[in-house]
Amino acid sequence: MTYHALVPAAGSGSRMGALSGRVLPKQYLPLAGRPMIRHALAALCATPAIANVFVVLAPDDTHWPAAEMAALGPKLHVLRCGGDTRAHSVGNGLRAMAAELGAIGNDWILVHDAARPCVTVAMIENLIAEVGEDDSGGLLAVPVADTLKRCDENGRIRQTVSRDGLWQAQTPQMFRHHLLLDALDFAPQVTDEASAIETLGLLPRLVPADISNLKVTYPVDLQMAEWVLRNREKA
Ligand code: CTP
Ligand code: MG
């Protein structure tokens, strides 16, 4: 089995507000002494099973710190083919990977957000082991822990929604290259790869992870990610 990672990193971080946006895209904000994106790339490059790590940048990205990233070694490849949505960035990346590597249709692709800096080698290896050779693929996820409320337009509760069987999807999400490319062509409006695969009628496996693999979306998430990374370093 051959595994490659694909890291979409062509967003701007609009929900990060003044911290990010036009000045410094979210994926480059300083986090535990490094640009945020370096943490996830380092974990993926350090995973022995992963042969190549492709990062998808916006074509006009001027912030990629090439010299600093060279330290991650020869597995890391830069693609400057980001699109106007995450799904387009992933689709463009899948095509560009195939152009570089040749026949990779049956290889496994682990798609991981640059905005999830706290992923560990152990989490990635667990995903690979749990999915095995199941063609439906799978993803890291956590069962919903909070009580869920549906509200009206005035912010008042209209319904308490059962959390039974509900999970929060994380990344990495791993699928075979040819299936993922077909799925994203078929359903380009999705916000994660699993949704695209679901539209093909397949049932991706949920692999339990934990909330330390958080996504940095809002400023407070950056503080929580900093805490996770610093406390792990001490452990
Ligand atoms: N992404 C991408 N191409 C896009 C949009 C997003 O490659 N056109 C990437 C982001 O860089 C990030 C990942 O997809 O690594 C997850 O997206 P998200 O957390 O939503 O980041 P942004 O889109 O940058 O943030 P926002 O939605 O707040 O603008
Ligand atoms: Mg976004």
Side-chain angles (χ1 to χ4, degrees), residues 114-131:
R116 280 192 198 272
C118 302
V119 71
T120 63
V121 173
M123 289 178 192
I124 298 164
E125 290 185 328
N126 190 44
L127 174 68
I128 289 173
E130 290 294 323
V131 171

Side-chain angles (χ1 to χ4, degrees), residues 66-135:
E68 181 178 355
M69 296 300 187
L72 296 179
K75 282 188 189 180
L76 185 62
H77 307 260
V78 178
L79 303 170
R80 293 184 174 273
C81 59
D84 54 0
T85 65
R86 182 180 178 283
H88 284 139
S89 296
V90 172
N92 292 349
L94 290 171
R95 277 179 265 271
M97 288 172 77
E100 272 193 35
L101 297 178
I104 55 168
N106 258 341
D107 290 0
W108 289 98
I109 310 299
L110 283 79
V111 180
H112 183 70
D113 287 333
R116 280 192 198 272
C118 302
V119 71
T120 63
V121 173
M123 289 178 192
I124 298 164
E125 290 185 328
N126 190 44
L127 174 68
I128 289 173
E130 290 294 323
V131 171
E133 299 199 18
D134 180 341
D135 283 331

